[in-house]
C-alpha cells in the first residue's frame, strides 16, 4: 500500500459508497439470474437452491477470508473488509424494498452489473480494504508479488463460472462470463501497484 493515507472520514465514506455500488451491481445480476466469480458468484448460485438470502450466504462464505486477512494482511485491513463485506450483505438483501424491475435484458445486466461491481470494488481497494473472499487473496498477491489484482481475479472468476456449466442455462452462463470480464477489466486497468496514491491525510480532519 502507499505510504500516503486517506483521512478516517474519507475511508468510511468511500467504503460505504463502494459497498453500495457493489450491492447495486449484485441486484442487476440477480434480476437476470446471472452469476459472477468469487464468493459473490458462489452465494448467488447457492441462493437459487436454498431459502437463505444472498446476503446471508455471502457473509458466511467470506468469514474464513476475514480471518485470513487478519493474520496475512493486518487487523485494520481485516476489520475494514468485514465492514465493507457486511455492508454489501445488508444492502443487497434490502434493495428490493426500495425499487423493483419487471424485466431487463441479460446483456444489459451483465454490463451494468460488472461495471458497478468493478467501480465499487476499486473504491474499496483504494481505501485499504476489500470485500473479503478472493479479494483478500488477490490483494495479498499484488502487494507481495506485484501480480495484477484484476488479472488474477479474472482467472479465479472464470474458473468458478466454468464450474457452473452444468447448473445454469448456457445463455445465462455466457452473459455471466461477459459480466465477470467487464468487472475484472475495470480492476485490471485501474488498480495496479504504484499507480494510485492518496493525498496525505490532514491530521486536523
Amino acid at each position: 500500500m502507499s505510504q500516503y493515507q486517506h483521512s478516517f472520514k474519507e475511508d468510511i465514506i468511500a467504503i460505504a459508497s463502494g459497498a453500495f455500488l457493489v450491492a447495486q451491481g449484485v441486484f442487476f445480476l440477480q434480476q437476470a439470474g446471472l452469476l459472477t466469480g468469487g464468493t459473490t458468484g458462489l452465494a448467488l448460485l447457492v441462493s437459487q437452491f436454498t431459502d437463505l438470502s444472498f446476503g446471508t450466504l455471502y457473509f458466511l462464505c467470506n468469514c474464513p477470508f476475514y480471518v485470513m486477512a487478519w493474520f496475512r494482511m493486518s487487523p485494520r485491513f481485516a476489520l475494514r473488509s468485514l465492514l465493507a463485506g457486511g455492508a454489501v450483505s445488508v444492502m443487497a438483501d434490502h434493495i428490493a424494498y426500495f425499487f423493483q424491475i419487471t424485466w431487463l435484458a441479460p446483456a444489459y445486466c451483465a454490463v451494468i452489473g460488472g461495471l458497478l461491481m468493478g467501480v465499487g470494488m476499486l473504491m474499496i481497494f483504494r481505501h485499504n480494504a476489500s470485500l473479503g473472499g478472493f479479494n483478500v487473496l488477490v490483494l495479498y498477491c499484488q502487494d507481495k508479488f506485484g501480480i495484477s489484482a484484476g488479472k488474477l481475479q479474472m482467472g479465479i472468476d472464470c474458473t468458478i463460472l466454468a464450474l457452473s456449466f452444468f447448473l445454469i442455462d448456457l445463455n445465462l452462463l455466457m452473459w455471466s462470463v461477459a459480466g465477470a470480464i467487464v468487472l475484472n477489466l475495470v480492476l485490471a486497468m485501474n488498480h495496479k501497484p504504484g499507480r494510485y496514491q492518496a493525498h496525505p491525510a490532514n491530521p486536523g480532519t
Side-chain angles (χ1 to χ4, degrees):
M1 295 294 177
S2 168
Q3 60 179 321
Y4 297 92
Q5 61 181 1
H6 292 278
S7 68
F8 178 76
K9 178 175 67 176
E10 290 172 334
D11 285 337
I12 294 299
I13 292 173
I15 290 173
S17 300
F20 178 75
L21 291 179
V22 172
Q24 290 287 333
V26 170
F27 175 80
F28 279 105
L29 295 183
Q30 287 178 309
Q31 292 302 295
L34 302 181
L35 303 177
T36 188
T39 53
T40 305
L42 291 176
L44 284 170
L45 181 61
V46 176
S47 67
Q48 297 181 15
F49 302 99
T50 70
D51 294 330
L52 294 176
S53 69
F54 163 81
T56 300
L57 291 167
Y58 181 69
F59 186 79
L60 291 175
C61 287
N62 283 327
C63 283
F65 292 97
Y66 296 137
V67 176
M68 175 185 175
W70 182 281
F71 291 104
R72 293 284 185 175
M73 307 290 279
S74 71
R76 182 182 183 185
F77 179 84
L79 290 174
R80 289 178 180 221
S81 299
L82 178 63
L83 174 64
V88 170
S89 297
V90 173
M91 291 179 185
D93 276 357
H94 291 84
I95 289 177
Y97 290 104
F98 297 93
F99 75 96
Q100 295 182 358
I101 300 173
T102 56
W103 181 84
L104 281 173
Y108 180 82
C109 289
V111 174
I112 192 69
L115 285 174
L116 286 171
M117 291 180 67
V119 173
M121 290 167 64
L122 183 65
M123 293 175 66
I124 292 169
F125 287 175
R126 288 182 171 179
H127 287 263
N128 194 26
S130 76
L131 289 174
F134 294 108
N135 292 164
V136 174
L137 177 62
V138 299
L139 285 176
Y140 176 77
C141 290
Q142 175 167 284
D143 291 341
K144 200 73 174 179
F145 308 110
I147 301 173
S148 169
K151 292 179 181 178
L152 182 56
Q153 184 77 49
M154 184 182 294
I156 295 172
D157 289 351
C158 288
T159 300
I160 291 174
L161 286 169
L163 297 176
S164 305
F165 179 81
F166 298 103
L167 300 175
I168 66 171
D169 179 78
L170 180 59
N171 182 59
L172 295 180
L173 178 59
M174 295 301 293
W175 284 119
S176 296
V177 171
I181 291 174
V182 170
L183 186 163
N184 287 289
L185 282 176
V186 172
L187 297 180
M189 291 188 296
N190 295 282
H191 193 71
K192 295 182 178 180
R195 170 168 289 186
Y196 176 80
Q197 288 185 334
H199 295 293
N202 185 342
T205 60

